[in-house]
Amino acid sequence: MVTRMLFRAVIMGPPGSGKGTVSDRIVKNFALKHLSSGDLLRTNVQNKTEIGVVAKSYIDQGQLVPDDVITRLVLQELHKINETNWLLDGFPRTVPQAVALDKAFHINSVIDLNVPFQTIKDRLTARWIHPASGRVYNTEFNPPKVPVMTD
Ligand code: AMP
């Protein structure tokens, strides 16, 4: 019997550290499935699932979704892709989430993006998010096709 070694990685870093961009580059070059907890939540919000309805009230207030809700959702999704290599982005964000992940899977690698605070501040100042799709723009290097309206 041949057992295949599966590679499980987590990417961490504060908002604006480039987790999404770096993840996209990694999955383009390596056979990994990228799972983002934020994207997963947005899909659930859009589809108005039970979890999506609960999550929306927290996301709209800029709060973290409760640990039990997000942990159930992410672990369930990871079990669905159990046979693949994966890169997890946005989870864990709290100690209970990390403990739950550690109990469920063996993580091979953690990528921690270490970006100077001023760089993050500059990036976030220029960052715009389209709430409906979650698409992220940057007025400096990736502006939205339709100009931003401010009042
Ligand atoms: P993100 O796209 O990763 O910035 O996530 C968007 C929003 O989803 C966050 O502001 C949180 O409200 C929620 N969220 C994503 N991941 C988590 C997590 N691991 N734990 C709690 N809330 C999360």
Side-chain angles (χ1 to χ4, degrees), residues 23-145:
S23 298
D24 285 349
R25 288 186 192 160
I26 292 174
V27 294
K28 255 186 212 152
N29 291 291
F30 301 94
L32 291 170
K33 193 161 168 36
H34 176 215
L35 186 73
S36 146
S37 55
D39 288 350
L40 196 55
L41 285 168
R42 279 183 284 277
T43 305
N44 275 271
V45 170
Q46 266 167 22
N47 295 340
K48 297 192 168 66
T49 64
E50 208 177 309
I51 285 186
V53 173
V54 175
K56 189 175 184 314
S57 57
Y58 292 92
I59 297 173
D60 286 352
Q61 291 175 54
Q63 290 176 6
L64 289 181
V65 173
D67 284 334
D68 58 329
V69 176
I70 187 72
T71 300
R72 200 158 19 102
L73 181 68
V74 169
L75 291 187
Q76 187 181 304
E77 218 49 39
L78 289 176
H79 283 297
K80 281 189 205 161
I81 54 168
N82 201 21
E83 300 300 315
T84 5
N85 302 314
W86 46 249
L87 174 65
L88 184 56
D89 162 5
F91 185 99
R93 259 175 158 100
T94 66
V95 172
Q97 293 177 20
V99 170
L101 179 66
D102 187 50
K103 269 192 191 144
F105 293 97
H106 175 73
I107 305 299
N108 303 102
S109 182
V110 176
I111 302 160
D112 187 21
L113 300 178
N114 185 3
V115 180
F117 180 69
Q118 188 56 46
T119 309
I120 289 182
K121 208 169 145 194
D122 294 345
R123 281 184 193 165
L124 290 183
T125 312
R127 174 186 278 198
W128 290 83
I129 298 175
H130 181 230
S133 65
R135 279 193 299 273
V136 177
Y137 297 97
N138 186 293
T139 50
E140 299 294 321
F141 56 81
N142 179 29
K145 289 196 182 77

